[in-house]
C-alpha cells in the first residue's frame, strides 16, 4: 500500500506553490525502491558521482541536480530520486569511515518536499 501511494504521488503534477525546500540530514531520507540502478539515465555512473562528492568536486548542498524530490509518508522523508539518494548515502558512508559517526550523522542535503494538501 505504501508503494502504491508513493507511485501515485510520484506521477502527480505539482505546482511551485506546493513545493518547499528544506535542508535535512541524509540519515533522515529513505529510499522508495528496493533496488537502485548503477547509472543515471544519462549513463553516468553513481560511483563516479559519489567519488566526485567525496573528493569535493561536487558540493551536495550546492549541486542543483542533487536536490531530491521527497514526500513525507508516515513521518519519514521518502525520496523519488533513489539514485541521487544513493550517491549521498555513499558520501555519508565515506564520512563515517574517515571522520566518524558524528560527522556522518551531520551530513545535510537539500530536498523539495512535495505537499499535495
Amino acid at each position: 500500500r505504501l508503494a502504491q501511494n508513493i507511485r501515485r504521488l510520484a506521477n502527480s503534477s505539482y505546482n511551485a506553490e506546493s513545493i518547499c525546500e528544506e535542508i535535512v540530514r541524509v540519515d533522515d531520507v529513505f529510499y522508495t525502491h528496493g533496488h537502485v540502478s548503477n547509472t543515471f539515465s544519462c549513463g553516468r555512473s553513481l560511483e563516479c558521482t559519489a567519488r566526485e562528492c567525496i573528493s569535493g568536486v561536487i558540493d551536495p548542498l550546492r549541486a542543483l541536480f542533487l536536490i531530491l524530490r521527497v514526500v513525507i509518508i508516515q513521518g519519514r522523508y521518502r525520496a523519488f530520486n533513489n539514485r541521487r539518494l544513493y550517491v549521498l548515502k555513499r558520501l555519508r558512508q565515506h564520512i563515517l569511515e574517515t571522520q566518524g559517526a558524528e560527522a556522518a550523522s551531520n551530513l545535510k542535503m537539500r530536498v523539495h518536499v512535495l505537499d499535495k494538501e
Side-chain angles (χ1 to χ4, degrees), residues 92-106:
R92 184 211 173 278
Q93 183 63 35
H94 173 78
I95 292 171
L96 176 65
E97 292 168 0
T98 59
Q99 300 175 34
E102 185 174 341
S105 70
N106 288 324

Side-chain angles (χ1 to χ4, degrees), residues 62-110:
R62 293 182 187 253
L64 296 179
F65 80 95
L66 284 178
I67 299 173
L68 275 64
R69 291 183 337 140
V70 302
V71 291
I72 299 173
I73 297 178
Q74 298 174 346
R76 291 183 162 189
Y77 292 99
R78 302 284 182 162
F80 292 129
N81 314 101
N82 288 282
R83 287 174 280 197
R84 297 173 194 181
L85 179 57
Y86 173 86
V87 166
L88 295 165
K89 298 274 187 184
R90 276 286 292 118
L91 174 59
R92 184 211 173 278
Q93 183 63 35
H94 173 78
I95 292 171
L96 176 65
E97 292 168 0
T98 59
Q99 300 175 34
E102 185 174 341
S105 70
N106 288 324
L107 180 62
K108 303 281 196 296
M109 61 190 282
R110 292 166 62 190

Side-chain angles (χ1 to χ4, degrees), residues 4-5 18-19 45 48 52 55 61-62 65-66 69 81 94 96 104 108 113 116-117:
Q4 288 174 333
N5 287 337
S18 70
I19 299 172
S45 87
C48 177
E52 288 184 344
S55 70
L61 281 175
R62 293 182 187 253
F65 80 95
L66 284 178
R69 291 183 337 140
N81 314 101
H94 173 78
L96 176 65
K108 303 281 196 296
V113 180
K116 289 299 288 182
E117 298 177 343

Side-chain angles (χ1 to χ4, degrees), residues 11-30:
N11 294 323
S12 300
S13 61
Y14 295 89
N15 60 41
E17 293 82 38
S18 70
I19 299 172
C20 72
E21 184 170 298
E22 295 181 17
I23 296 178
V24 300
R25 293 176 341 121
V26 171
D27 287 347
D28 294 336
V29 182
F30 296 86

Side-chain angles (χ1 to χ4, degrees), residues 35-40 43-49 83 86-87:
H35 173 68
V36 178
S37 173
N38 294 329
T39 60
F40 289 106
R44 180 181 179 84
S45 87
L46 303 186
E47 287 301 321
C48 177
T49 306
R83 287 174 280 197
Y86 173 86
V87 166

